[in-house]
Amino acid sequence: MRFPVLLLALSACLLGGCGAVLLQGAAVATYPLDKKGTFEEAQHRYTSNIRFGLFEEAKPFVEPELQPRFQEEIGRFRELRFSHSSTESIDINPARTEATAVVRFRGYWLSSPFEREMRIVQRWRRQVPTQNWYVTPDFDSLLEPPGS
């Protein structure tokens, strides 16, 4: 009786695309976006985290030696609200070890009622042993005060 139930559950997961793996009869969720292995995933997740004010979630994508500064700036980031973001261009070297993305954010500072556009250049590199992608944030453009 246990085999048909297991087969039915496995079929439902495969047909439904639920992304679960069955181990000894228990469902264990797996999320393919939890890895930072591909540039496209890393760039999208970092940009989306910045766009929605999830700076703690964006921090792991920042170059490890720049993470302390990123952490220090989080307080200032919290004064930003973004209404839109779009990636304008992406340039990846043939070896897929470095990339540059140009991202346009539209947003405002809480202290200013005026919305403005910010063009940010994201410079990325892939760490070879782990295959993780890390960004060097453009702090100056992102934290440019209102009216600049």
Side-chain angles (χ1 to χ4, degrees):
M1 181 68 174
R2 184 176 176 159
F3 180 73
V5 172
L6 185 60
L7 184 59
L8 179 63
L10 180 60
S11 298
C13 285
L14 292 175
L15 292 175
C18 69
V21 176
L22 293 175
L23 297 174
Q24 298 177 0
V28 178
T30 60
Y31 301 100
L33 291 180
D34 279 347
K35 65 184 179 89
K36 295 188 287 182
T38 69
F39 169 73
E40 292 80 5
E41 290 173 357
Q43 193 273 334
H44 174 75
R45 290 179 66 199
Y46 172 78
T47 300
S48 293
N49 286 335
I50 295 292
R51 155 73 174 92
F52 291 106
L54 302 172
F55 302 111
E56 289 293 336
E57 287 82 353
K59 189 172 115 179
F61 295 97
V62 174
E63 283 281 0
E65 64 271 8
L66 297 175
Q67 287 183 9
R69 180 172 175 208
F70 188 86
Q71 183 67 41
E72 290 171 8
E73 299 290 359
I74 284 178
R76 291 182 61 202
F77 291 154
R78 294 196 197 292
E79 296 296 312
L80 289 168
R81 296 293 185 270
F82 296 108
S83 59
H84 179 76
S85 68
S86 62
T87 301
E88 292 183 344
S89 66
I90 293 176
D91 182 33
I92 305 174
N93 73 346
R96 294 191 62 84
T97 56
E98 295 180 350
T100 302
V102 177
V103 180
R104 189 169 300 275
F105 288 97
R106 192 170 54 235
Y108 59 94
W109 288 83
L110 292 177
S111 61
S112 173
F114 301 104
E115 192 172 66
R116 69 181 184 99
E117 283 197 357
M118 295 162 261
R119 185 176 176 269
I120 309 297
V121 177
Q122 297 174 348
R123 301 197 190 290
W124 291 82
R125 76 166 179 89
R126 189 179 76 200
Q127 186 182 54
V128 177
T130 65
Q131 302 301 310
N132 291 341
W133 284 88
Y134 294 104
V135 66
T136 299
D138 185 355
F139 293 110
D140 296 331
S141 295
L142 193 59
L143 292 172
E144 193 172 283
S148 299

